[in-house]
Amino acid sequence: MSRFQMLSDAQWELIAPMLPTRTGRAGRPFSDARTMVEAIIYRYRCGIPWRDLPEVYGPWQTVWTWHRWMAAEGTWDAVLAKLTAAADAQGLVDWSVSVDSTIARAHQHATNTRSLTGAGSSYKNLREEPADHGIGRSRGGLSTKIHQLVDGAGLPLVSLITPGQAGDSPMLLPLLEQLRVARPAGRPRTRPDAVLGDKAYSSRAIRTHLRTRGGKAVIPEPSDQQGHRKRRGSRGGRPVGLDAAAYKGRNVIERQYAQLKQWRGLATRYDKYAIVYRAAVILKAVLAWSKRLSDTP
C-alpha cells in the first residue's frame, strides 16, 4: 500500500456499494470512486490545499466537487449508519458510550466567509449549513469544537460541530437524539447502557434524562454541586453515585481524539463550511468502523 492509498481492499469492498457511481450524464468525469475517496483522505491527512493534491488523483476540482456534493447529500452519514448497523448485528458495538469534545483551531482560510453575528448552529439538520459556519471565538481565537459519542471501544457513533465557545453539557442531549443504530427487525437502538462523561456533563437535567430512559450516568459530581447539595440538607437530595471502575473506561474518547487529530486537516480547520468539515470527521469514523469490520474473521 503506497502513501497515496489508505483503504485496504477489504475496507473498500465494504463501503463501495454505498457510494455514488458514474451516471453517464455530462460533466467532468472521474476515473473511479476509490480514487476520489483516496484523494479526500489524502487531503485531510496531510492538511494541504485542494489545489496541491498530487496529479495521481486527477483534477483537484473534481475531488473537491465530489466531497462537497457528498457532504450536502449526507452520503458519509448513510455509510456510517450502515456500518454501525452491521457491527451491531455482529455484537461489535459496546453500548457503554463515552462523550466529550475537542477544539480545532480555525485557519484564516476557513474564516473569510460572511457570518451572521449571534446566529446559532443547527444540531438536528445535519445537511444545512449553519449561519455561523460552526466557527466561534474562544480564548485561543477562532475555533471549532467537535462533539462525539463513541462506543466502549472508542469508535465514533455520533459527531456534531459547534463554534469553539459552545459548552459541552448542552450538546449531550442533541448527541443522544442523533444516536440511531438500525437493527434487522424492529426499531433502531437509541438508548445506551451507560454514558461516561467528565464533570462538565454533570447536571440534574442530564441525569434525569438518562435515568428515565434506562441509562446509567457515569459522571462525577463537581465540588461546587456537592457543596450546594450539602447546604440544602435533606432538600438537596441523595449523593450522586459514581461507578469508579466503569469511569476508567472514559479514556477511550481521549484516545479517539488523538487518532482523529492525526489528520492535519481535522486538527486544524481549513474548510469554510461546517458541513464539509464535518463530512471529513464522519469519513474518519467510516474508516475506523470499516477497519473493525474488515478485521473481524
Side-chain angles (χ1 to χ4, degrees), residues 12-47:
W12 179 247
E13 289 177 3
L14 284 173
I15 68 175
M18 313 175 203
L19 298 180
T21 57
R22 302 176 74 168
T23 62
R25 291 182 294 181
R28 184 183 291 272
F30 61 91
S31 54
D32 61 84
R34 185 168 185 174
T35 300
M36 296 294 101
V37 176
E38 293 285 6
I40 296 168
I41 294 172
Y42 185 90
R43 188 265 176 173
Y44 282 97
R45 182 165 60 91
C46 299

Side-chain angles (χ1 to χ4, degrees), residues 104-120:
R105 289 291 302 273
H107 192 269
Q108 59 184 352
H109 292 167
T111 59
N112 58 352
T113 54
R114 181 175 179 270
S115 60
L116 301 178
T117 304

